[in-house]
Amino acid sequence: MNNDNTIFSTHDLAVGYRNGKATVTLLQGLNLKLEQGKLVALLGQNGAGKSTLLRALTCDERPLQGSIEVQGKDLLTMSQKERSRTIGLVSTERIQAGALTVTELVGLGRQPHTGFLGRIDDEDRQIIHQAMVDAGIAAKAGEYIASLSDGERQKAMIAKALAQQTPIIILDEPTAFLDVASRIETMRLLQTLAHERGKAVLLSSHDISQSLMLADELWLITTDRQVLTGKTSDLVAAGAMERLFNNKSIHFNNQILDYSF
């Protein structure tokens, strides 16, 4: 790795899916990297391959080709426990944990660190509490997940990932079900986790304006399935945002950092 801050990198990665006996490649030749202390936004139109890429990066599905290196180790040969200690994942799926309290849900994040029986000690409890504080959900610690708003549930899921104490956090559409205020709050929380906690944070999003305002770097999946990477300001200045969508009737507006007709 050529950068002391690079914690995660891919080498000639190809991702896609299998349809019967056929293999469909969505993205290929990917040489991507994540750095500690950076918030990175993955942007692209529906069907571009964002979720497929994230599943490959977290080994939820194996990539079609290439390798993934994390802290000098091959992610694809790590055990599930090792991966769980390295990458915290917050998926786009609505959680089915209504019968758990916030503390209980966040406590599940300690599983990679506890013994076979999953018993937690005082140190684990302190980590769980601090994760809830950092995610801004500590006031709801004793409440059931079923009673929370969508924004509060997302904070609880982020707290669970924090309780894993991983250097990398990957989130698939973390603001998908949130109102405007909750989207802004969640994005600012993720920026804080990167800048103040030193996490490498990667998120996919359809929230263009918030991503451009808060993300340090972008991974842009273009309409011809290239992945452009770089500093947010550099990519915007280079006109890369015009390559995200096929619709010729919309254009990127640099003044509002979003698309308009």
Side-chain angles (χ1 to χ4, degrees), residues 9 35 74 81 103 119 127 133 157 170 173 198 226-227 245 250 261:
S9 57
E35 296 180 21
D74 184 350
K81 189 170 187 177
T103 298
R119 292 173 178 162
I127 291 169
V133 170
M157 291 302 295
I170 295 179
E173 297 286 353
Q226 294 185 52
V227 180
F245 298 100
I250 64 171
F261 290 96

Side-chain angles (χ1 to χ4, degrees), residues 187-221:
M187 289 292 291
R188 290 194 180 279
L189 167 61
L190 296 175
Q191 185 189 54
T192 297
L193 294 177
H195 293 178
E196 298 182 14
R197 299 288 191 272
K199 304 287 186 181
V201 182
L202 169 65
L203 65 97
S204 65
S205 180
H206 283 104
D207 194 334
I208 302 293
S209 59
Q210 283 297 312
S211 296
L212 298 189
M213 283 191 287
L214 297 177
D216 301 294
E217 297 180 356
L218 302 177
W219 293 0
L220 303 179
I221 303 178

